[in-house]
Amino acid sequence: MESSVPPIGDYSLETLAVRAGQQRSQFNEHSEALYLTSSFVFDSAAQAAARFSGAEEGNVYSRFTNPTVSAFETRLAALEGAEACVATASGMSAILSLVMSLCSSGEHIVSSSGLFGATQQLLGTIMPRFGIQTSFVEQTDVAAWRAAIRPETRLFFLETPSNPLTSVADIAALVEVAHQRGVLVVVDNCFCTPILQRPLDLGADLVLHSATKYLDGQGRVLGGAVAGPKRLTDEVFRFLRTAGPTLSAFNAWVLLKGLETLQIRMQAQSAKALQLAQWLERQPRVTRVYYPGLRSHPQFELASRQQKSGGAIVSFTVKGAREEAWKVVDSCRLLSITANLGDTKTTLTHPASTTHGRITPEQRALAGVSEDLLRIAVGLEGVVDLQNDLETGLSAI
Ligand SMILES: *Cc1c(COP(=O)(O)O)cnc(C)c1O
């Protein structure tokens, strides 16, 4: 590495998104270099020993660090206003690594009940086998979070807005409750990204990402990240370098390019989502629309304060149950039937039978995922085309 350009300084988010973290090699490339190498060579046996012991900084092996991955970590840390960031192979491996490095057997987590399905399974079903219990509470009920704290509680885990019902947690209020009792607050910021919401500014201790979603933004690669103070991300890093779910250099390179357009994508997709949500509210076969940018949303005021806009996820219920919801899915021609979200191509999902299909019916009921519910992750197509497609879908009921 020859130089780091430019210094991060006090640049705006737009500038950080395209510039932060770049390291130019001796070739002075303009676009970030992709270092596809599993290991790095040393000048001498003494240097090898110093690198391995940590006495000298530098790359050793790509399970530990890689320059392309480091560039992505620096850029995302700059966007989140974090001191440090560690990248992981997927969003789920970010969550796993975080829990494995910050919690021990006998400790406890309080989490919102409306979680991404795999997160719910990890915390509710897998981690208890290793002695880490999670209590699930209604995310808008601050008193319920306070009441769920035990002496052994280590973390508050929240996703806001939640998936798929877009319920909004009051980050600052939960931080106050947690910090009074020495509990860390972790926010999964996947739906908003730092463009719309910066949890660390509100006092959260760590931010998590499924980079697979908006950070890539074009449905190409999986990735994840944990950002926050170095003393905490270092603990996650120690688990990662040993256990191995690190981000690949190739995926990091794709994600670096994704970050460069994050702001304009988030703004455009969010504006389209608001238009679509308002339109859905007027459709006779739609019974309820969930979108934090709508006045009808129960936490509209909070969302307006906490987020720059409502985001790009819109959920709604239709007249009927599973059969009717599936008819809408099967009759749309343009919207992609896929569980992914955060893509430039709009996607349509029936959460109860897909993303939330593997959790128990009780967990599903607690998360509010009913059979008549559909979720749209709005992309970059024309709003009129999306409306026409949904109109075809809804008229099939
Ligand atoms: C997708 C998602 C995850 C998991 O991320 P992967 O990259 O699929 O492992 C976690 N949290 C939220 C909110 C998600 O949408």
mmCIF file of all heavy atoms in Angstrom, residues 89-133:
data_model
loop_
_atom_site.group_PDB
_atom_site.id
_atom_site.type_symbol
_atom_site.label_atom_id
_atom_site.label_comp_id
_atom_site.label_asym_id
_atom_site.label_seq_id
_atom_site.Cartn_x
_atom_site.Cartn_y
_atom_site.Cartn_z
ATOM 1 N N ALA A 89 -18.925 -12.831 6.233
ATOM 2 C CA ALA A 89 -19.340 -13.495 5.000
ATOM 3 C C ALA A 89 -20.805 -13.261 4.650
ATOM 4 O O ALA A 89 -21.196 -13.367 3.487
ATOM 5 C CB ALA A 89 -19.070 -14.996 5.117
ATOM 6 N N SER A 90 -21.640 -12.974 5.646
ATOM 7 C CA SER A 90 -23.072 -12.749 5.419
ATOM 8 C C SER A 90 -23.605 -11.972 6.613
ATOM 9 O O SER A 90 -22.898 -11.806 7.618
ATOM 10 C CB SER A 90 -23.811 -14.089 5.303
ATOM 11 O OG SER A 90 -23.721 -14.783 6.544
ATOM 12 N N GLY A 91 -24.848 -11.541 6.499
ATOM 13 C CA GLY A 91 -25.464 -10.858 7.643
ATOM 14 C C GLY A 91 -25.601 -11.797 8.829
ATOM 15 O O GLY A 91 -25.351 -11.416 9.978
ATOM 16 N N MET A 92 -25.990 -13.052 8.562
ATOM 17 C CA MET A 92 -26.161 -14.006 9.661
ATOM 18 C C MET A 92 -24.832 -14.292 10.348
ATOM 19 O O MET A 92 -24.786 -14.473 11.565
ATOM 20 C CB MET A 92 -26.800 -15.315 9.164
ATOM 21 C CG MET A 92 -28.283 -15.222 8.846
ATOM 22 S SD MET A 92 -29.276 -14.244 9.985
ATOM 23 C CE MET A 92 -29.024 -15.117 11.528
ATOM 24 N N SER A 93 -23.734 -14.340 9.583
ATOM 25 C CA SER A 93 -22.461 -14.590 10.254
ATOM 26 C C SER A 93 -22.018 -13.373 11.061
ATOM 27 O O SER A 93 -21.288 -13.513 12.040
ATOM 28 C CB SER A 93 -21.378 -15.078 9.285
ATOM 29 O OG SER A 93 -21.194 -14.174 8.249
ATOM 30 N N ALA A 94 -22.498 -12.181 10.699
ATOM 31 C CA ALA A 94 -22.225 -11.001 11.536
ATOM 32 C C ALA A 94 -22.945 -11.167 12.877
ATOM 33 O O ALA A 94 -22.371 -10.917 13.941
ATOM 34 C CB ALA A 94 -22.692 -9.727 10.830
ATOM 35 N N ILE A 95 -24.191 -11.624 12.824
ATOM 36 C CA ILE A 95 -24.976 -11.792 14.060
ATOM 37 C C ILE A 95 -24.389 -12.924 14.908
ATOM 38 O O ILE A 95 -24.193 -12.782 16.119
ATOM 39 C CB ILE A 95 -26.472 -12.038 13.722
ATOM 40 C CG1 ILE A 95 -27.027 -10.822 12.968
ATOM 41 C CG2 ILE A 95 -27.285 -12.303 14.993
ATOM 42 C CD1 ILE A 95 -28.411 -11.016 12.381
ATOM 43 N N LEU A 96 -24.072 -14.039 14.248
ATOM 44 C CA LEU A 96 -23.460 -15.166 14.973
ATOM 45 C C LEU A 96 -22.143 -14.734 15.634
ATOM 46 O O LEU A 96 -21.928 -14.996 16.823
ATOM 47 C CB LEU A 96 -23.203 -16.337 14.018
ATOM 48 C CG LEU A 96 -22.449 -17.517 14.631
ATOM 49 C CD1 LEU A 96 -23.319 -18.244 15.649
ATOM 50 C CD2 LEU A 96 -21.967 -18.493 13.559
ATOM 51 N N SER A 97 -21.291 -14.066 14.876
ATOM 52 C CA SER A 97 -19.980 -13.669 15.404
ATOM 53 C C SER A 97 -20.135 -12.698 16.567
ATOM 54 O O SER A 97 -19.394 -12.763 17.547
ATOM 55 C CB SER A 97 -19.130 -13.008 14.313
ATOM 56 O OG SER A 97 -19.005 -13.881 13.225
ATOM 57 N N LEU A 98 -21.101 -11.811 16.440
ATOM 58 C CA LEU A 98 -21.329 -10.844 17.512
ATOM 59 C C LEU A 98 -21.753 -11.556 18.805
ATOM 60 O O LEU A 98 -21.208 -11.299 19.881
ATOM 61 C CB LEU A 98 -22.400 -9.861 17.060
ATOM 62 C CG LEU A 98 -22.707 -8.766 18.054
ATOM 63 C CD1 LEU A 98 -22.667 -7.431 17.362
ATOM 64 C CD2 LEU A 98 -24.037 -8.957 18.721
ATOM 65 N N VAL A 99 -22.710 -12.472 18.674
ATOM 66 C CA VAL A 99 -23.194 -13.176 19.879
ATOM 67 C C VAL A 99 -22.085 -14.059 20.451
ATOM 68 O O VAL A 99 -21.856 -14.075 21.664
ATOM 69 C CB VAL A 99 -24.462 -14.003 19.541
ATOM 70 C CG1 VAL A 99 -24.876 -14.867 20.723
ATOM 71 C CG2 VAL A 99 -25.612 -13.071 19.152
ATOM 72 N N MET A 100 -21.356 -14.767 19.593
ATOM 73 C CA MET A 100 -20.300 -15.661 20.061
ATOM 74 C C MET A 100 -19.150 -14.904 20.711
ATOM 75 O O MET A 100 -18.454 -15.439 21.568
ATOM 76 C CB MET A 100 -19.751 -16.501 18.895
ATOM 77 C CG MET A 100 -20.726 -17.486 18.324
ATOM 78 S SD MET A 100 -21.291 -18.716 19.519
ATOM 79 C CE MET A 100 -20.002 -19.924 19.372
ATOM 80 N N SER A 101 -18.926 -13.664 20.306
ATOM 81 C CA SER A 101 -17.796 -12.946 20.900
ATOM 82 C C SER A 101 -18.201 -12.113 22.113
ATOM 83 O O SER A 101 -17.371 -11.880 22.983
ATOM 84 C CB SER A 101 -17.078 -12.091 19.860
ATOM 85 O OG SER A 101 -17.991 -11.427 19.051
ATOM 86 N N LEU A 102 -19.451 -11.687 22.189
ATOM 87 C CA LEU A 102 -19.831 -10.821 23.314
ATOM 88 C C LEU A 102 -20.600 -11.540 24.415
ATOM 89 O O LEU A 102 -20.735 -11.009 25.517
ATOM 90 C CB LEU A 102 -20.635 -9.616 22.818
ATOM 91 C CG LEU A 102 -19.902 -8.675 21.853
ATOM 92 C CD1 LEU A 102 -20.799 -7.516 21.453
ATOM 93 C CD2 LEU A 102 -18.601 -8.148 22.461
ATOM 94 N N CYS A 103 -21.145 -12.739 24.130
ATOM 95 C CA CYS A 103 -21.945 -13.446 25.140
ATOM 96 C C CYS A 103 -21.303 -14.789 25.478
ATOM 97 O O CYS A 103 -20.720 -15.439 24.617
ATOM 98 C CB CYS A 103 -23.355 -13.723 24.633
ATOM 99 S SG CYS A 103 -24.264 -12.239 24.223
ATOM 100 N N SER A 104 -21.463 -15.190 26.746
ATOM 101 C CA SER A 104 -20.995 -16.511 27.170
ATOM 102 C C SER A 104 -22.173 -17.315 27.701
ATOM 103 O O SER A 104 -23.236 -16.749 27.995
ATOM 104 C CB SER A 104 -19.961 -16.359 28.284
ATOM 105 O OG SER A 104 -18.864 -15.622 27.815
ATOM 106 N N SER A 105 -21.931 -18.615 27.849
ATOM 107 C CA SER A 105 -22.958 -19.496 28.390
ATOM 108 C C SER A 105 -23.438 -18.947 29.738
ATOM 109 O O SER A 105 -22.622 -18.520 30.552
ATOM 110 C CB SER A 105 -22.341 -20.884 28.557
ATOM 111 O OG SER A 105 -23.260 -21.717 29.171
ATOM 112 N N GLY A 106 -24.755 -18.937 29.937
ATOM 113 C CA GLY A 106 -25.321 -18.402 31.175
ATOM 114 C C GLY A 106 -25.775 -16.962 31.026
ATOM 115 O O GLY A 106 -26.486 -16.444 31.880
ATOM 116 N N GLU A 107 -25.375 -16.322 29.924
ATOM 117 C CA GLU A 107 -25.793 -14.932 29.732
ATOM 118 C C GLU A 107 -27.083 -14.864 28.902
ATOM 119 O O GLU A 107 -27.564 -15.862 28.367
ATOM 120 C CB GLU A 107 -24.646 -14.119 29.114
ATOM 121 C CG GLU A 107 -23.517 -13.955 30.149
ATOM 122 C CD GLU A 107 -22.362 -13.094 29.704
ATOM 123 O OE1 GLU A 107 -22.068 -13.039 28.495
ATOM 124 O OE2 GLU A 107 -21.731 -12.493 30.590
ATOM 125 N N HIS A 108 -27.595 -13.663 28.799
ATOM 126 C CA HIS A 108 -28.973 -13.495 28.326
ATOM 127 C C HIS A 108 -29.070 -12.292 27.386
ATOM 128 O O HIS A 108 -28.341 -11.314 27.533
ATOM 129 C CB HIS A 108 -29.845 -13.296 29.589
ATOM 130 C CG HIS A 108 -31.268 -12.931 29.333
ATOM 131 N ND1 HIS A 108 -31.789 -11.699 29.657
ATOM 132 C CD2 HIS A 108 -32.289 -13.649 28.810
ATOM 133 C CE1 HIS A 108 -33.074 -11.679 29.342
ATOM 134 N NE2 HIS A 108 -33.406 -12.848 28.829
ATOM 135 N N ILE A 109 -29.984 -12.408 26.421
ATOM 136 C CA ILE A 109 -30.223 -11.333 25.444
ATOM 137 C C ILE A 109 -31.696 -10.948 25.507
ATOM 138 O O ILE A 109 -32.555 -11.823 25.687
ATOM 139 C CB ILE A 109 -29.876 -11.834 24.015
ATOM 140 C CG1 ILE A 109 -28.376 -12.177 23.909
ATOM 141 C CG2 ILE A 109 -30.263 -10.818 22.948
ATOM 142 C CD1 ILE A 109 -27.987 -12.914 22.622
ATOM 143 N N VAL A 110 -31.995 -9.674 25.370
ATOM 144 C CA VAL A 110 -33.386 -9.255 25.166
ATOM 145 C C VAL A 110 -33.470 -8.774 23.727
ATOM 146 O O VAL A 110 -32.636 -7.972 23.279
ATOM 147 C CB VAL A 110 -33.819 -8.121 26.123
ATOM 148 C CG1 VAL A 110 -35.308 -7.819 25.933
ATOM 149 C CG2 VAL A 110 -33.535 -8.489 27.573
ATOM 150 N N SER A 111 -34.463 -9.283 23.014
ATOM 151 C CA SER A 111 -34.557 -8.963 21.591
ATOM 152 C C SER A 111 -35.984 -8.600 21.218
ATOM 153 O O SER A 111 -36.942 -9.046 21.836
ATOM 154 C CB SER A 111 -34.116 -10.180 20.783
ATOM 155 O OG SER A 111 -34.471 -10.017 19.433
ATOM 156 N N SER A 112 -36.107 -7.806 20.156
ATOM 157 C CA SER A 112 -37.447 -7.527 19.649
ATOM 158 C C SER A 112 -38.014 -8.800 19.025
ATOM 159 O O SER A 112 -37.273 -9.646 18.508
ATOM 160 C CB SER A 112 -37.409 -6.393 18.631
ATOM 161 O OG SER A 112 -36.324 -6.509 17.754
ATOM 162 N N SER A 113 -39.343 -8.937 19.082
ATOM 163 C CA SER A 113 -39.972 -10.170 18.593
ATOM 164 C C SER A 113 -40.103 -10.174 17.072
ATOM 165 O O SER A 113 -40.097 -11.232 16.464
ATOM 166 C CB SER A 113 -41.340 -10.357 19.249
ATOM 167 O OG SER A 113 -42.079 -9.167 19.156
ATOM 168 N N GLY A 114 -40.203 -9.008 16.460
ATOM 169 C CA GLY A 114 -40.372 -8.953 15.007
ATOM 170 C C GLY A 114 -39.040 -8.933 14.293
ATOM 171 O O GLY A 114 -38.611 -7.910 13.789
ATOM 172 N N LEU A 115 -38.380 -10.076 14.253
ATOM 173 C CA LEU A 115 -37.026 -10.147 13.683
ATOM 174 C C LEU A 115 -37.016 -10.858 12.341
ATOM 175 O O LEU A 115 -37.906 -11.647 12.042
ATOM 176 C CB LEU A 115 -36.118 -10.974 14.592
ATOM 177 C CG LEU A 115 -35.623 -10.402 15.903
ATOM 178 C CD1 LEU A 115 -34.783 -11.465 16.595
ATOM 179 C CD2 LEU A 115 -34.806 -9.146 15.679
ATOM 180 N N PHE A 116 -35.945 -10.641 11.590
ATOM 181 C CA PHE A 116 -35.636 -11.448 10.410
ATOM 182 C C PHE A 116 -35.700 -12.925 10.836
ATOM 183 O O PHE A 116 -35.212 -13.274 11.917
ATOM 184 C CB PHE A 116 -34.227 -11.072 9.935
ATOM 185 C CG PHE A 116 -33.777 -11.805 8.706
ATOM 186 C CD1 PHE A 116 -34.379 -11.571 7.488
ATOM 187 C CD2 PHE A 116 -32.744 -12.723 8.779
ATOM 188 C CE1 PHE A 116 -33.956 -12.246 6.348
ATOM 189 C CE2 PHE A 116 -32.321 -13.411 7.641
ATOM 190 C CZ PHE A 116 -32.928 -13.157 6.427
ATOM 191 N N GLY A 117 -36.327 -13.778 10.007
ATOM 192 C CA GLY A 117 -36.600 -15.157 10.408
ATOM 193 C C GLY A 117 -35.387 -15.931 10.895
ATOM 194 O O GLY A 117 -35.428 -16.610 11.926
ATOM 195 N N ALA A 118 -34.266 -15.844 10.170
ATOM 196 C CA ALA A 118 -33.072 -16.603 10.561
ATOM 197 C C ALA A 118 -32.491 -16.083 11.875
ATOM 198 O O ALA A 118 -31.953 -16.854 12.679
ATOM 199 C CB ALA A 118 -32.023 -16.548 9.457
ATOM 200 N N THR A 119 -32.596 -14.789 12.118
ATOM 201 C CA THR A 119 -32.108 -14.224 13.383
ATOM 202 C C THR A 119 -32.937 -14.770 14.533
ATOM 203 O O THR A 119 -32.409 -15.144 15.592
ATOM 204 C CB THR A 119 -32.208 -12.683 13.361
ATOM 205 O OG1 THR A 119 -31.623 -12.201 12.157
ATOM 206 C CG2 THR A 119 -31.499 -12.069 14.546
ATOM 207 N N GLN A 120 -34.236 -14.841 14.300
ATOM 208 C CA GLN A 120 -35.142 -15.370 15.316
ATOM 209 C C GLN A 120 -34.795 -16.827 15.636
ATOM 210 O O GLN A 120 -34.769 -17.233 16.791
ATOM 211 C CB GLN A 120 -36.572 -15.285 14.784
ATOM 212 C CG GLN A 120 -37.607 -15.535 15.842
ATOM 213 C CD GLN A 120 -38.778 -14.597 15.651
ATOM 214 O OE1 GLN A 120 -39.095 -14.220 14.524
ATOM 215 N NE2 GLN A 120 -39.417 -14.204 16.719
ATOM 216 N N GLN A 121 -34.482 -17.588 14.589
ATOM 217 C CA GLN A 121 -34.129 -18.995 14.777
ATOM 218 C C GLN A 121 -32.790 -19.139 15.504
ATOM 219 O O GLN A 121 -32.629 -19.970 16.388
ATOM 220 C CB GLN A 121 -34.058 -19.678 13.418
ATOM 221 C CG GLN A 121 -34.619 -21.068 13.459
ATOM 222 C CD GLN A 121 -34.387 -21.796 12.162
ATOM 223 O OE1 GLN A 121 -34.032 -21.207 11.147
ATOM 224 N NE2 GLN A 121 -34.585 -23.089 12.200
ATOM 225 N N LEU A 122 -31.833 -18.304 15.113
ATOM 226 C CA LEU A 122 -30.506 -18.360 15.745
ATOM 227 C C LEU A 122 -30.615 -18.051 17.241
ATOM 228 O O LEU A 122 -30.086 -18.794 18.079
ATOM 229 C CB LEU A 122 -29.565 -17.357 15.068
ATOM 230 C CG LEU A 122 -28.144 -17.298 15.630
ATOM 231 C CD1 LEU A 122 -27.348 -18.537 15.226
ATOM 232 C CD2 LEU A 122 -27.420 -16.049 15.154
ATOM 233 N N LEU A 123 -31.316 -16.945 17.563
ATOM 234 C CA LEU A 123 -31.399 -16.536 18.965
ATOM 235 C C LEU A 123 -32.365 -17.418 19.754
ATOM 236 O O LEU A 123 -32.118 -17.740 20.914
ATOM 237 C CB LEU A 123 -31.835 -15.069 19.081
ATOM 238 C CG LEU A 123 -30.896 -14.018 18.486
ATOM 239 C CD1 LEU A 123 -31.473 -12.615 18.679
ATOM 240 C CD2 LEU A 123 -29.504 -14.097 19.116
ATOM 241 N N GLY A 124 -33.471 -17.815 19.109
ATOM 242 C CA GLY A 124 -34.520 -18.529 19.842
ATOM 243 C C GLY A 124 -34.313 -20.025 19.921
ATOM 244 O O GLY A 124 -34.790 -20.678 20.860
ATOM 245 N N THR A 125 -33.637 -20.631 18.938
ATOM 246 C CA THR A 125 -33.541 -22.087 18.868
ATOM 247 C C THR A 125 -32.114 -22.609 18.980
ATOM 248 O O THR A 125 -31.866 -23.594 19.667
ATOM 249 C CB THR A 125 -34.165 -22.583 17.534
ATOM 250 O OG1 THR A 125 -35.442 -21.965 17.384
ATOM 251 C CG2 THR A 125 -34.324 -24.079 17.511
ATOM 252 N N ILE A 126 -31.160 -21.961 18.302
ATOM 253 C CA ILE A 126 -29.797 -22.505 18.277
ATOM 254 C C ILE A 126 -28.978 -22.064 19.497
ATOM 255 O O ILE A 126 -28.385 -22.896 20.182
ATOM 256 C CB ILE A 126 -29.078 -22.120 16.957
ATOM 257 C CG1 ILE A 126 -29.849 -22.737 15.775
ATOM 258 C CG2 ILE A 126 -27.618 -22.609 16.965
ATOM 259 C CD1 ILE A 126 -29.318 -22.392 14.406
ATOM 260 N N MET A 127 -28.970 -20.763 19.793
ATOM 261 C CA MET A 127 -28.130 -20.288 20.898
ATOM 262 C C MET A 127 -28.509 -20.886 22.264
ATOM 263 O O MET A 127 -27.608 -21.124 23.082
ATOM 264 C CB MET A 127 -28.107 -18.746 20.968
ATOM 265 C CG MET A 127 -27.445 -18.039 19.793
ATOM 266 S SD MET A 127 -25.959 -18.768 19.084
ATOM 267 C CE MET A 127 -24.807 -18.599 20.406
ATOM 268 N N PRO A 128 -29.798 -21.170 22.542
ATOM 269 C CA PRO A 128 -30.121 -21.777 23.841
ATOM 270 C C PRO A 128 -29.392 -23.108 24.079
ATOM 271 O O PRO A 128 -29.105 -23.465 25.223
ATOM 272 C CB PRO A 128 -31.642 -21.981 23.785
ATOM 273 C CG PRO A 128 -32.109 -20.920 22.847
ATOM 274 C CD PRO A 128 -31.023 -20.798 21.808
ATOM 275 N N ARG A 129 -29.046 -23.849 22.995
ATOM 276 C CA ARG A 129 -28.295 -25.094 23.150
ATOM 277 C C ARG A 129 -26.908 -24.838 23.701
ATOM 278 O O ARG A 129 -26.240 -25.739 24.195
ATOM 279 C CB ARG A 129 -28.186 -25.820 21.801
ATOM 280 C CG ARG A 129 -29.488 -26.460 21.375
ATOM 281 C CD ARG A 129 -29.448 -27.012 19.957
ATOM 282 N NE ARG A 129 -28.161 -27.588 19.596
ATOM 283 C CZ ARG A 129 -27.584 -27.447 18.410
ATOM 284 N NH1 ARG A 129 -28.185 -26.763 17.463
ATOM 285 N NH2 ARG A 129 -26.422 -27.993 18.174
ATOM 286 N N PHE A 130 -26.438 -23.602 23.581
ATOM 287 C CA PHE A 130 -25.113 -23.255 24.093
ATOM 288 C C PHE A 130 -25.213 -22.379 25.342
ATOM 289 O O PHE A 130 -24.269 -21.707 25.724
ATOM 290 C CB PHE A 130 -24.301 -22.562 22.987
ATOM 291 C CG PHE A 130 -24.165 -23.435 21.773
ATOM 292 C CD1 PHE A 130 -25.066 -23.338 20.726
ATOM 293 C CD2 PHE A 130 -23.170 -24.410 21.714
ATOM 294 C CE1 PHE A 130 -24.972 -24.177 19.624
ATOM 295 C CE2 PHE A 130 -23.070 -25.247 20.615
ATOM 296 C CZ PHE A 130 -23.970 -25.140 19.569
ATOM 297 N N GLY A 131 -26.407 -22.366 25.932
ATOM 298 C CA GLY A 131 -26.583 -21.683 27.215
ATOM 299 C C GLY A 131 -26.828 -20.194 27.116
ATOM 300 O O GLY A 131 -26.763 -19.487 28.115
ATOM 301 N N ILE A 132 -27.102 -19.694 25.923
ATOM 302 C CA ILE A 132 -27.405 -18.258 25.784
ATOM 303 C C ILE A 132 -28.899 -18.127 25.459
ATOM 304 O O ILE A 132 -29.364 -18.551 24.400
ATOM 305 C CB ILE A 132 -26.531 -17.611 24.684
ATOM 306 C CG1 ILE A 132 -25.043 -17.744 25.059
ATOM 307 C CG2 ILE A 132 -26.905 -16.140 24.487
ATOM 308 C CD1 ILE A 132 -24.082 -17.448 23.930
ATOM 309 N N GLN A 133 -29.630 -17.578 26.421
ATOM 310 C CA GLN A 133 -31.086 -17.483 26.294
ATOM 311 C C GLN A 133 -31.479 -16.101 25.779
ATOM 312 O O GLN A 133 -30.813 -15.111 26.086
ATOM 313 C CB GLN A 133 -31.754 -17.688 27.669
ATOM 314 C CG GLN A 133 -31.455 -19.019 28.336
ATOM 315 C CD GLN A 133 -32.047 -20.206 27.605
ATOM 316 O OE1 GLN A 133 -33.045 -20.079 26.879
ATOM 317 N NE2 GLN A 133 -31.442 -21.377 27.774
#
